[in-house]
Amino acid sequence: MKIYLARNNVQAGPYGLDELNTMLSTGEVLLDDLMWHTGMSEWKKVGMMTHGQRSYQPHTTTPMPPRGFGDNVDFRPPTQTPQRTSVAELYGRKPSQSTHPAQTISLSKSEPTLEYASISSRFVAFLINVGLYLLALMPLLVALFQHIDINEFAKAGDYAGAYAYSQALAEKIPATTVAISNIMLLALIGIQLLLIIMRGQSFGKMVMGVRVVDEKTHRLPKLATLLFMRTAFLVVVYFVGINIMSGLPALVMLTINYLMASKSPTHQGWHDRLTKTAVVKAQPIQLDKTKP
């Protein structure tokens, strides 16, 4: 167990349980000091956790508050704003060298610990979104496969012949099937746009607990950036890429984006650099528009 302590807006740690109890017994740690460890939802006074005793024996962990859908499960809402310093300055002990960045907790409400989304989580979010669009088009796709004749399509030869065959094929599909697919597709697009505007997340990003934020403010980007640059512009670019050279340009652009992100310390691909945004682990404070 790694335990963090704070006094007079200054944080120190982590300490082991034995270290804490030793400092409690010698009076180095006061019952009015604050403490936090994994499983606690907020900083609490040491005396509250020890029930007024100078020894801490945790029996059960304090349950975390429910995770909001689309938020990073690792985010711990802070309640204090102390400034971090070395252990030596606070309790006269040597700083621990074993603290991993992921174990360091943020106490500042305006500057939470920022963690960039992994490449794998971004790619899975992309696959989820693609799957949803295919699902919306499923009635139309099923009807197409029922009527398509591969041999006839192969005889089409050039682009003009393929276009004429596709037109003839479209006429065989019932109007109700086309209408159902259109309604499902438009509903999905509407939901996705609403999520992007309100939360900076597509449905896939919500499932993976990641979000698009401004690279400087770490808050939701401007509406124009979300809707036009990160959504409409990219849709048009990839749509054009899909319809040229059997979709090879779109595949190349997508591959380059993920390769750039994998080489960047901030995991920014060309999508992100173009729009001056970043994809990070979602935290509730990023939705706070009152903060700069």
Side-chain angles (χ1 to χ4, degrees):
M1 174 181 290
K2 295 182 182 294
I3 303 170
Y4 294 83
L5 299 169
R7 179 192 297 170
N8 297 328
N9 288 340
V10 180
Q11 176 191 341
Y15 298 104
L17 181 59
D18 290 340
E19 280 186 288
L20 172 64
N21 285 329
T22 298
M23 290 189 291
L24 275 169
S25 64
T26 59
E28 289 181 83
V29 173
L30 307 177
L31 296 182
D32 285 336
D33 290 342
L34 299 174
M35 67 178 290
W36 182 94
H37 59 71
T38 301
M40 294 176 60
S41 61
E42 60 183 357
W43 289 78
K44 292 185 178 180
K45 287 187 176 182
V46 174
M48 182 182 300
M49 298 300 293
T50 65
H51 304 289
Q53 303 299 312
R54 290 201 167 273
S55 176
Y56 181 47
Q57 298 298 330
H59 297 293
T60 58
T61 57
T62 305
M64 291 292 290
R67 175 194 177 193
F69 183 62
D71 289 333
N72 175 23
V73 71
D74 296 326
F75 176 69
R76 303 178 181 89
T79 57
Q80 305 290 332
T81 57
Q83 179 183 1
R84 184 171 178 81
T85 188
S86 68
V87 179
E89 289 177 301
L90 185 60
Y91 292 114
R93 287 175 173 266
K94 247 185 165 180
S96 171
Q97 300 298 321
S98 62
T99 305
H100 188 278
Q103 297 166 341
T104 301
I105 57 175
S106 169
L107 297 179
S108 171
K109 198 167 186 177
S110 60
E111 292 297 333
T113 301
L114 186 70
E115 185 177 351
Y116 293 98
S118 66
I119 306 302
S120 59
S121 64
R122 295 181 61 173
F123 187 67
V124 172
F126 167 75
L127 293 180
I128 290 173
N129 288 328
V130 170
L132 287 174
Y133 285 111
L134 290 177
L135 188 62
L137 293 171
M138 191 58 67
L140 183 60
L141 294 175
V142 170
L144 281 173
F145 281 114
Q146 288 176 344
H147 293 90
I148 194 170
D149 188 327
I150 301 299
N151 294 326
E152 288 294 325
F153 183 77
K155 291 177 183 178
D158 56 7
Y159 176 80
Y163 179 77
Y165 179 74
S166 64
Q167 290 293 101
L169 185 62
E171 293 176 0
K172 298 179 181 180
I173 299 175
T176 53
T177 301
V178 176
I180 290 173
S181 273
N182 286 339
I183 292 172
M184 291 174 64
L185 183 61
L186 289 175
L188 178 58
I189 291 174
I191 293 172
Q192 292 279 50
L193 289 176
L194 184 63
L195 291 174
I196 290 170
I197 293 171
M198 300 299 294
R199 300 180 60 89
Q201 297 170 301
S202 62
F203 189 84
K205 284 186 172 64
M206 285 187 67
V207 172
M208 298 308 297
V210 300
R211 154 179 302 127
V212 175
V213 296
D214 184 276
E215 65 178 5
K216 291 183 178 179
T217 65
H218 302 157
R219 299 294 190 274
L220 286 187
K222 294 180 180 179
L223 184 62
T225 300
L226 283 172
L227 279 186
F228 298 106
M229 293 303 295
R230 277 208 66 106
T231 304
F233 174 74
L234 291 179
V235 168
V236 171
V237 168
Y238 277 100
F239 180 80
V240 172
I242 289 173
N243 287 277
I244 298 176
M245 299 172 60
S246 301
L248 181 60
L251 181 61
V252 170
M253 286 188 291
L254 189 65
T255 302
I256 291 175
N257 181 67
Y258 283 111
L259 283 176
M260 286 180 64
S262 66
K263 301 297 183 182
S264 167
T266 57
H267 293 180
Q268 288 177 291
W270 71 266
H271 298 174
D272 311 300
R273 297 184 185 185
L274 178 67
T275 57
K276 296 182 179 180
T277 58
V279 181
V280 302
K281 289 289 188 71
Q283 300 176 3
I285 197 171
Q286 294 156 354
L287 301 177
D288 188 354
K289 298 180 179 180
T290 65
K291 300 294 182 181

